[in-house]
Amino acid sequence: MNPEKSKKELPGTDFDLEEFLPYLLNQAAEATSLSFQTIYAEKYGMTRTQWRVLANLGKFGSMMAKDICRISHVEKSKVSRAIAALESAGFLRREVKADDRRAEGLHLTPSGLDAFRKLGKKALEYDRELRGRLGPAEAKRLVVALRDLARLQSR
Amino acid sequence: MNPEKSKKELPGTDFDLEEFLPYLLNQAAEATSLSFQTIYAEKYGMTRTQWRVLANLGKFGSMMAKDICRISHVEKSKVSRAIAALESAGFLRREVKADDRRAEGLHLTPSGLDAFRKLGKKALEYDRELRGRLGPAEAKRLVVALRDLARLQSR
DNA sequence: TAAGATTGAGTACTCAATCTTG
DNA sequence: CAAGATTGAGTACTCAATCTTA
């Protein structure tokens, strides 16, 4: 019988984008990011990087720019510009350290803390929705796999 | 005893970026994309979008720009610019359709086909490496979960 | 010289507007 | 007007260079 594949394909490689893990990861990341993005973008005028910086400050309290870089694996110029934007939006305050005047301590303002709380609440709801879609067991397995893959280089 | 959490946290939300599925997906997607990116970027001067367009043409043979948009969920202006870049790099040829002169049939040139074969081979190797890292069973579960999540909106 | 952080130049992305053909 | 595709303007990203303080 030797049935042909229904899709027309050129010879020379078996490669299929739809089976390529980096591509599938990207598609899932994009899809899950988009609906949450509308919340921080439309209601708070934030970019994804700004939201990440806010989330780190919300979680850890006060920290320096380089800490955010290390923890969130975001490139330093992105962090620097996100900090500047969050500051001029009134979400964040900087404070030059007395003992080392190269470094700045970053803190959320009351307005920034409020934004973090509201966005954090929405994020938790959304995350529960996603995990509910997968089921709790699959969601846990997914998290383990993603953490493993993310360990690949960390930039 | 009531032990305190070791991390310092502000009150008001339980949200933790490190547990947020969209964030974890993004980190894994970035990490897995980066090492493969060096191949198509450094050896062929391609962007991610260009590589995706090439991969679709390699898989499906000849198609129109709108087909690439639909299949790969890439925005049309990105596809349009990627096509222009691939064409001027000599990887792709366009051919205005006789029956509908709005549309263009896109085909890989011999050089484009060669690039697709070589990159496809590298991609397969890399994908096997990633799946090997997870183990075959986990890799399959991951793919199912990712496809499920990617179905969320499709732009 | 190195560390923390910012800046500049070039590239890529987003999304609405536009062009051309049907 | 609709469909296929391109373009323009504004925004964000990348990466190397720079600035300031240690």
Side-chain angles (χ1 to χ4, degrees):
Chain A
M1 291 300 250
N2 185 22
E4 297 293 330
K5 304 187 80 164
S6 60
K7 285 175 185 168
K8 173 189 175 188
E9 292 185 14
L10 294 174
T13 177
D14 302 335
F15 177 68
D16 183 351
L17 236 205
E18 304 285 335
E19 301 290 337
F20 191 39
L21 234 28
Y23 176 77
L24 292 169
L25 285 162
N26 241 298
Q27 297 286 107
E30 285 302 310
T32 58
S33 290
L34 278 181
S35 79
F36 189 66
Q37 176 173 12
T38 63
I39 300 178
Y40 58 72
E42 289 177 7
K43 296 203 174 158
Y44 294 90
M46 289 185 198
T47 65
R48 188 182 300 184
T49 305
Q50 287 168 43
W51 150 242
R52 285 189 184 173
V53 168
L54 185 92
N56 274 285
L57 284 173
K59 178 180 180 189
F60 293 110
S62 174
M63 56 202 308
M64 297 192 301
K66 65 156 203 160
D67 300 323
I68 299 179
C69 293
R70 181 175 38 78
I71 291 171
S72 65
H73 308 122
V74 177
E75 203 269 339
K76 62 183 179 175
S77 68
K78 275 167 79 171
V79 169
S80 176
R81 285 172 170 130
I83 289 170
L86 288 171
E87 182 184 35
S88 65
F91 292 131
L92 167 159
R93 193 167 44 83
R94 341 157 75 125
E95 192 168 273
V96 175
K97 298 231 172 191
D99 55 332
D100 183 347
R101 284 160 50 207
R102 292 174 304 185
E104 299 178 317
L106 306 171
H107 319 262
L108 293 184
T109 60
S111 159
L113 194 51
D114 181 65
F116 170 67
R117 285 182 176 134
K118 287 181 175 148
L119 284 171
K121 189 163 175 297
K122 291 284 187 188
L124 275 177
E125 289 169 10
Y126 182 52
D127 200 59
R128 286 194 198 101
E129 182 185 326
L130 292 176
R131 288 173 192 256
R133 182 189 179 96
L134 297 170
E138 276 309 303
K140 288 206 174 184
R141 284 173 170 271
L142 175 62
V143 169
V144 171
L146 294 176
R147 289 221 172 94
D148 185 20
L149 292 173
R151 224 184 318 268
L152 275 176
Q153 20 204 33
S154 313
R155 309 187 200 209
Chain B
M1 291 299 255
N2 187 20
E4 296 292 331
K5 305 187 78 164
S6 60
K7 286 175 185 169
K8 174 189 175 189
E9 292 187 13
L10 294 174
T13 175
D14 302 333
F15 176 68
D16 183 351
L17 236 206
E18 304 284 334
E19 301 290 336
F20 191 39
L21 234 28
Y23 176 77
L24 292 169
L25 285 162
N26 241 299
Q27 297 287 106
E30 285 301 311
T32 58
S33 291
L34 278 182
S35 78
F36 188 66
Q37 176 173 13
T38 63
I39 300 178
Y40 57 72
E42 290 178 5
K43 296 203 175 160
Y44 295 90
M46 288 184 199
T47 65
R48 188 181 300 183
T49 306
Q50 288 168 41
W51 149 242
R52 284 189 184 173
V53 168
L54 185 91
N56 274 284
L57 284 174
K59 179 179 179 191
F60 293 110
S62 174
M63 56 202 308
M64 296 192 301
K66 67 155 205 162
D67 299 323
I68 299 179
C69 294
R70 180 175 37 78
I71 292 172
S72 66
H73 307 123
V74 177
E75 203 269 340
K76 61 182 179 176
S77 69
K78 276 168 79 172
V79 169
S80 176
R81 284 170 169 134
I83 289 169
L86 288 171
E87 182 184 34
S88 65
F91 291 131
L92 168 157
R93 192 167 44 82
R94 337 155 82 123
E95 192 169 275
V96 175
K97 297 232 173 191
D99 56 330
D100 183 347
R101 283 159 50 206
R102 291 174 304 185
E104 298 177 318
L106 306 171
H107 319 262
L108 293 185
T109 60
S111 159
L113 195 51
D114 180 65
F116 170 66
R117 285 183 176 133
K118 287 181 176 147
L119 285 171
K121 190 163 174 297
K122 291 285 189 189
L124 274 177
E125 289 167 11
Y126 183 51
D127 200 58
R128 287 195 197 101
E129 182 186 327
L130 292 175
R131 288 173 193 255
R133 183 189 178 96
L134 297 170
E138 276 309 304
K140 289 206 174 186
R141 284 173 170 272
L142 175 62
V143 169
V144 172
L146 293 178
R147 289 222 173 93
D148 186 19
L149 293 174
R151 225 184 318 268
L152 274 175
Q153 18 205 34
S154 312
R155 316 195 186 196

